Amino acid sequence: MNRPTSLIVLVAALVLLPLAGARAQNLDAQRPQLRAALEAAERGQFNAAQYAGLASHPIYGWVELAALRRDIDTLSVAQAQAFLKRYEGQAVADSFRSLWLASLARRQDWPTFLGAWKPSEGATLRCAELDARQATGRADAQWTQDAQALWRGAAKSLPDGCDPVFAILANKGGLPPALRWERIDAAAAESQTAVMRSAARGLPAGEMALANDYAAFIDAVHARALDWPKTERSRRMASYGLARLASRDPGAAETQLPRYASALGMTEADRGRVLYQIALWTVASYEADSARRLNNVPESAYDERLHEWRVREAMARGDWRGALAALRKMPAKQREDSRWRYFEARMAEKTGDNATAQQLLREAARAPTFHGFLAADRLNQPYALCPWIPNDGKAAKDAIARDPAIIRAMELWKLDRPGWAVAEWNSALARFDDNQRRTAVEVAQDNGWFDRAVFSLGKRPDEQRLYQLRFPLHHGETIRREAARHALDPAWVAAEIRAESVFNPRARSGANAMGLMQVVPATGAATAKRLGLPWGGAASLYDSDTNIALGTAYLREMENKYGVPYIAIAAYNAGPTPTARWQSQRPGYDPDIWIETISYKETREYVARILAFSVIYDWRLNGNALPVSDRMLGKLDGKRREFTCPDARMPKS
């Protein structure tokens, strides 16, 4: 008798569940030995016989890779090919192939290289493949086209290994002046003057001299440009150089622009390119000439970035009518964003048009964003949130958890090998449909790997509504305890962890910030000393309880110092010096306007993100939320907001 497919899957899952549980227990038991094997392999002390019991382990291939990579330049072809065959189709084979191909290129073993070649994103290997083809007599018309495509697509510097390829291409007549100028033009737009000079070397003498002078002008504006040929290219090169000067010295660029514009006959687009940068690098610090320089930029040169700055500059001066006028010059799509709907409403309020303000606030309040929540507060209405909580069933989840690549990814994550774990994860997701991808994120979270929701969801608009996945909650008891100890909102603490590390206790930044709340060791040590807490050195920041205790204590110190959370959040991200400058520039400003006029994009968005995340974590913790308008002022006892779903097709948060 034919049973329904779903029933067969469920029965199979129930039958295999004990086996899956036993395998998980076995992996847990083997993890210490596997860690030791990996460390031995990375030291060059791996003995396969000593770890014979691990040969069938799902990630044994990565142990082999760690051992083989140390001797990659002396590895025999037979050993390498055996490894690739053994792990064909797995991420570890792709990782090994890249290492081996690079080694074969260094040895110039081109026949073997071509036999192992698979298309690669990296320029080094792509150039090596072209080198291999020409060395083995395959520099045909297709070779020329492929080499020209690589040349054409590289505005920035290419690896030294590409030089022989382009030398051969030039000798074959494959780099005519037009193609050289094409790359020079692309490099100039990126201020890559070394690339410009390199590309110019094969030009006729006169053209090469001109190209080098273009590069010299972009490096440092000079008067020789006044005598350049009056061509479209000369005008564009002059604008690139003056625009680059504007990023360093807006005043100097403004002074010199008329001279070059007149001599070369610059178009509005050429002048606009320079005036744009003059205005941008002035307004970013709210200098006195900001409004004038913004007004000098032709409207045709405005993009979304400069439109935003024109609004912020007017708000920073308290010019509400000017800010409203600037808002209404934005493109329709930009203006419809909840941020700018909200500020258009606020500027309408400031100029006495309350009817328009109310309508705009109602529109903005439909978005589950920081500015949508602010709009709802001004309307005194519930927050908009339309969570999607799919129920895919245990059988589907168990099936994903048994996928070999997912098993390897989870085990590598637990062994603190995040790069390898991501390689396995990406290999699995390349085969998954949308439902499987979403379920894989659930499996990852079950294994303590929380950032997969951030990096793997969002391909479909409705995935933005997977709040329980996108806003994981771990160490809840510690968060509540430490927040209560320091009289902080626990949702704020959870939001900081989500923004700083996505609940990865081993996270470490380039600035040496460590752990869940990204505490710098010096700050951790000083905070521990002030509070009389035990301090076990920098490594103790990888302990979740310690990190949350110190990070939360530091948040309390920031709030005590700055008086209100929204400024404390800015200081947590940017540090005390810029925060003091922003306070002195705009004392007494409304919090929402103060936040929007923070001059650092990263900090401006960080503050808004933390406050929005806090609302969502409040929903996760309590089912309702402290109004964000109270939250950013540190008022924890206000009437709480409920949540409602006005429309399932909500804008993304």
Side-chain angles (χ1 to χ4, degrees):
M1 182 176 68
N2 292 327
R3 290 186 173 88
T5 302
S6 59
L7 179 60
I8 294 172
V9 170
L10 178 59
V11 170
L14 291 173
V15 169
L16 292 171
L17 190 58
L19 296 176
R23 169 178 280 186
Q25 290 178 1
N26 190 40
L27 292 177
D28 290 342
Q30 289 181 307
R31 197 166 298 125
Q33 188 183 18
L34 193 67
R35 188 185 300 275
L38 273 171
E39 291 172 352
E42 289 168 341
R43 292 193 306 269
Q45 299 172 345
F46 179 70
N47 183 338
Q50 181 182 352
Y51 296 101
L54 297 176
S56 61
H57 192 283
I59 66 163
Y60 188 73
W62 292 98
V63 178
E64 288 190 73
L65 173 65
L68 291 175
R69 69 187 301 171
R70 291 183 60 87
D71 301 313
I72 195 75
D73 286 335
T74 57
L75 195 66
S76 73
V77 173
Q79 282 179 290
Q81 290 177 337
F83 183 92
L84 290 172
K85 183 176 181 180
R86 192 156 57 248
Y87 297 107
E88 186 177 2
Q90 295 186 26
V92 70
D94 292 334
S95 294
F96 173 80
R97 187 187 309 277
S98 295
L99 293 170
W100 189 43
L101 285 170
S103 171
L104 292 170
R106 287 192 294 272
R107 289 182 267 169
Q108 297 190 0
D109 183 352
W110 300 126
T112 306
F113 180 100
L114 290 172
W117 168 256
K118 284 190 176 180
S120 170
E121 293 283 330
T124 298
L125 286 181
R126 288 165 61 201
C127 286
E129 189 263 350
L130 288 165
D131 215 358
R133 282 160 60 188
Q134 68 84 22
T136 54
R138 304 182 200 179
D140 52 12
Q142 185 60 53
W143 183 94
T144 299
Q145 290 179 22
D146 292 345
Q148 287 176 332
L150 185 61
W151 167 277
R152 184 178 285 114
K156 295 187 178 180
S157 181
L158 285 165
D160 290 345
C162 294
D163 291 346
V165 171
F166 294 137
I168 293 166
L169 181 64
N171 288 336
K172 289 167 61 69
L175 285 180
L179 195 55
R180 289 186 178 277
W181 277 112
E182 190 173 331
R183 190 166 183 213
I184 291 167
D185 289 339
E190 300 289 336
S191 297
Q192 296 289 315
T193 54
V195 176
M196 294 174 66
R197 292 183 176 94
S198 176
R201 286 180 191 137
L203 290 171
E207 293 185 46
M208 182 172 67
L210 182 59
N212 284 331
D213 212 36
Y214 286 155
F217 187 87
I218 292 172
D219 282 336
V221 170
H222 58 69
R224 293 188 305 276
L226 297 170
D227 296 321
W228 284 348
K230 293 177 174 57
T231 63
E232 186 274 334
R233 176 174 283 128
S234 291
R235 292 189 288 270
R236 191 169 68 253
M237 294 293 180
S239 73
Y240 291 151
L242 290 165
R244 191 178 188 192
L245 173 63
S247 69
R248 302 188 299 268
D249 189 342
E254 185 176 44
T255 299
Q256 298 203 46
L257 173 60
R259 183 184 181 199
Y260 292 96
S262 174
L264 296 171
M266 281 187 176
T267 65
E268 179 178 274
D270 298 322
R271 294 178 61 258
R273 187 177 293 117
V274 182
L275 292 168
Y276 178 105
Q277 294 297 330
I278 292 170
L280 179 66
W281 290 98
T282 305
V283 72
S285 299
Y286 298 122
E287 293 181 12
D289 280 335
S290 295
R292 179 182 63 78
R293 287 175 174 169
L294 282 165
N295 289 333
N296 285 344
V297 180
E299 288 295 324
S300 59
Y302 266 76
D303 59 4
E304 290 192 358
R305 185 183 187 188
L306 207 61
H307 276 296
E308 290 184 3
W309 274 113
R310 183 157 57 180
V311 175
R312 289 192 195 100
E313 190 279 333
M315 290 199 297
R317 288 186 290 108
D319 180 2
W320 314 130
R321 292 190 183 281
L324 188 60
L327 269 159
R328 290 174 176 169
K329 290 180 180 179
M330 286 180 166
K333 184 177 180 181
Q334 182 180 16
R335 190 176 162 193
E336 289 167 4
D337 182 84
S338 62
R339 176 195 300 262
W340 301 116
R341 274 284 183 258
Y342 172 76
F343 280 112
E344 188 174 355
R346 289 285 281 124
M347 296 305 100
E349 283 179 345
K350 294 279 191 182
T351 54
D353 188 355
N354 290 323
T356 298
Q358 290 292 299
Q359 176 58 36
L360 291 166
L361 287 172
R362 284 192 290 271
E363 294 174 15
R366 295 177 63 81
T369 64
F370 172 55
H371 298 94
F373 298 147
L374 284 174
D377 283 353
R378 301 192 79 80
L379 295 169
N380 194 26
Q381 69 181 36
Y383 288 154
L385 199 74
C386 291
W388 176 25
I389 306 174
N391 183 14
D392 295 322
K394 191 173 185 304
K397 191 172 179 181
D398 288 342
I400 294 297
R402 291 193 305 272
D403 182 272
I406 291 294
I407 290 172
R408 293 190 293 269
M410 297 306 112
E411 192 61 22
L412 287 163
W413 174 253
K414 292 174 183 177
L415 285 163
D416 300 324
R417 298 298 193 281
W420 292 350
V422 169
E424 291 284 8
W425 173 267
N426 290 340
S427 175
L429 261 61
R431 296 182 279 105
F432 289 173
D433 62 25
D434 288 341
N435 290 337
Q436 290 171 316
R437 176 167 47 85
R438 184 180 68 241
T439 304
V441 170
E442 295 183 49
V443 171
Q445 294 199 355
D446 288 346
N447 284 272
W449 194 4
F450 296 106
D451 72 3
R452 295 301 86 193
V454 176
F455 294 109
S456 305
L457 297 177
K459 293 184 178 180
R460 292 166 39 185
D462 56 0
E463 289 179 349
Q464 296 291 336
R465 296 168 43 226
L466 292 166
Y467 294 108
Q468 290 189 345
L469 289 178
R470 292 179 55 233
F471 294 88
L473 188 56
H474 202 43
H475 307 294
E477 183 179 337
T478 304
I479 290 171
R480 289 181 186 274
R481 182 188 68 237
E482 296 303 323
R485 186 193 307 276
H486 299 290
L488 293 174
D489 177 10
W492 178 14
V493 179
E496 289 283 355
I497 296 173
R498 165 61 165 76
E500 293 287 348
S501 69
V502 198
F503 288 84
N504 176 10
R506 306 292 298 176
R508 185 170 184 171
S509 77
N512 202 33
M514 300 166 67
L516 291 172
M517 297 187 73
Q518 290 291 274
V519 179
V520 176
T523 300
T527 304
K529 183 178 181 180
R530 284 193 295 270
L531 297 178
L533 297 175
W535 173 248
S540 65
L541 292 173
Y542 289 135
D543 175 76
S544 297
D545 282 1
T546 299
N547 193 285
I548 294 171
L550 293 173
T552 305
Y554 186 65
L555 284 181
R556 167 43 62 193
E557 291 183 357
M558 289 290 97
E559 186 172 343
N560 289 345
K561 178 177 181 178
Y562 293 103
V564 286
Y566 73 92
I567 299 180
I569 295 167
Y572 193 89
N573 177 259
T577 301
T579 303
R581 182 171 68 250
W582 300 328
Q583 286 181 290
S584 66
Q585 286 175 336
R586 297 180 297 287
Y589 268 46
D590 295 345
D592 54 349
I593 295 174
W594 190 91
I595 293 167
E596 186 56 39
T597 52
I598 289 172
S599 55
Y600 292 1
K601 181 178 188 289
E602 177 189 338
T603 304
R604 182 171 64 248
E605 295 185 351
Y606 181 86
V607 176
R609 187 163 63 248
I610 292 295
L611 290 167
F613 286 4
S614 298
V615 171
I616 294 171
Y617 273 111
D618 217 348
W619 167 73
R620 288 222 57 188
L621 288 163
N622 303 302
N624 53 26
L626 189 71
V628 73
S629 299
D630 288 346
R631 180 187 305 282
M632 61 187 181
L633 295 175
K635 298 177 181 179
L636 303 182
D637 56 356
K639 183 178 179 181
R640 299 177 68 80
R641 289 259 180 265
E642 299 300 323
F643 289 83
T644 186
C645 180
D647 187 338
R649 295 167 296 178
M650 295 292 294
K652 69 180 183 179
S653 66

